[in-house]
Amino acid sequence: MKITSVLIAILVCGNLWSQSLEEAQSHFERYEYALAAKIYKQYAKTNPLPLEDYKRFGYSYFIIGEYQNCLPISDSIINTPDVEPFFYYMNGEVNMGERNYEKASQSYETYQSLDNEFDVSVQLASCKMIPSWEAETYVHFSRFGVDTTKAD
């Protein structure tokens, strides 16, 4: 009896692991990118992701704005052979969001040489200009002591 229950538990766990990629793909196709990224992340801890799922994983992080998590994934995606030009654009956006302007500029230039779906001329100009900007001081306005949150 113990042996059969252990075998059933192993089969159920194995089935859950194999379904997790299908579940992540299903969430991705339904535009539920946060859920898809969470499942891809859990799966990637123990198993290597196939390239297409790895691209979905990176895209999910990109869409939900988690650029810090997306950056190493997008860096590795653009180093794969025959990658779609969009991933250079994605890598540029992520690097720009993380203030890596030189890398962002390189990715945008590569994208611009491969595809013209998105006009990246403004992003390229921004990558060149932003590092030269001077920091501005932040002015904090506090409420007056007699000012209350309720009307008089």
Side-chain angles (χ1 to χ4, degrees), residues 112-148:
Q112 194 172 36
S113 68
L114 297 173
D115 196 5
N116 62 354
E117 182 179 354
F118 301 112
D119 180 19
V120 293
S121 59
V122 174
Q123 284 93 334
L124 283 168
S126 297
C127 288
K128 292 176 184 160
M129 293 296 297
I130 291 174
S132 67
W133 291 353
E134 293 181 21
E136 302 223 358
T137 57
Y138 174 73
V139 178
H140 176 72
F141 292 100
S142 61
R143 298 170 60 136
F144 295 110
V146 295
D147 192 13
T148 64

Side-chain angles (χ1 to χ4, degrees), residues 23-24 27-28 30 32-40 60 64:
E23 185 179 354
H27 286 300
F28 184 86
R30 290 188 309 238
E32 297 170 342
Y33 297 115
L35 293 172
K38 181 179 176 183
I39 295 169
Y40 280 132
S60 296
I64 63 175

Side-chain angles (χ1 to χ4, degrees), residues 21-118:
L21 265 185
E22 292 171 3
E23 185 179 354
Q25 291 166 355
S26 175
H27 286 300
F28 184 86
E29 290 169 3
R30 290 188 309 238
Y31 308 106
E32 297 170 342
Y33 297 115
L35 293 172
K38 181 179 176 183
I39 295 169
Y40 280 132
K41 182 179 179 180
Q42 288 174 345
Y43 186 86
K45 286 180 182 178
T46 56
N47 302 306
L49 285 169
L51 181 59
E52 289 303 313
D53 287 312
Y54 196 62
K55 289 177 182 178
R56 289 183 188 114
F57 183 30
Y59 183 77
S60 296
Y61 273 143
F62 172 67
I63 288 296
I64 63 175
E66 291 192 21
Y67 289 171
Q68 194 171 25
N69 292 330
C70 183
L71 187 58
I73 297 170
S74 67
D75 282 341
S76 62
I77 289 172
I78 63 170
N79 291 323
T80 59
D82 301 325
V83 66
E84 295 88 351
F86 171 77
F87 289 103
Y88 288 101
Y89 174 80
M90 183 176 91
N91 188 260
E93 289 288 308
V94 169
N95 274 303
M96 194 166 175
E98 289 295 309
R99 298 182 178 164
N100 300 327
Y101 301 113
E102 185 63 35
K103 288 183 180 182
S105 181
Q106 291 171 357
S107 292
Y108 286 135
E109 288 170 355
T110 305
Y111 172 77
Q112 194 172 36
S113 68
L114 297 173
D115 196 5
N116 62 354
E117 182 179 354
F118 301 112

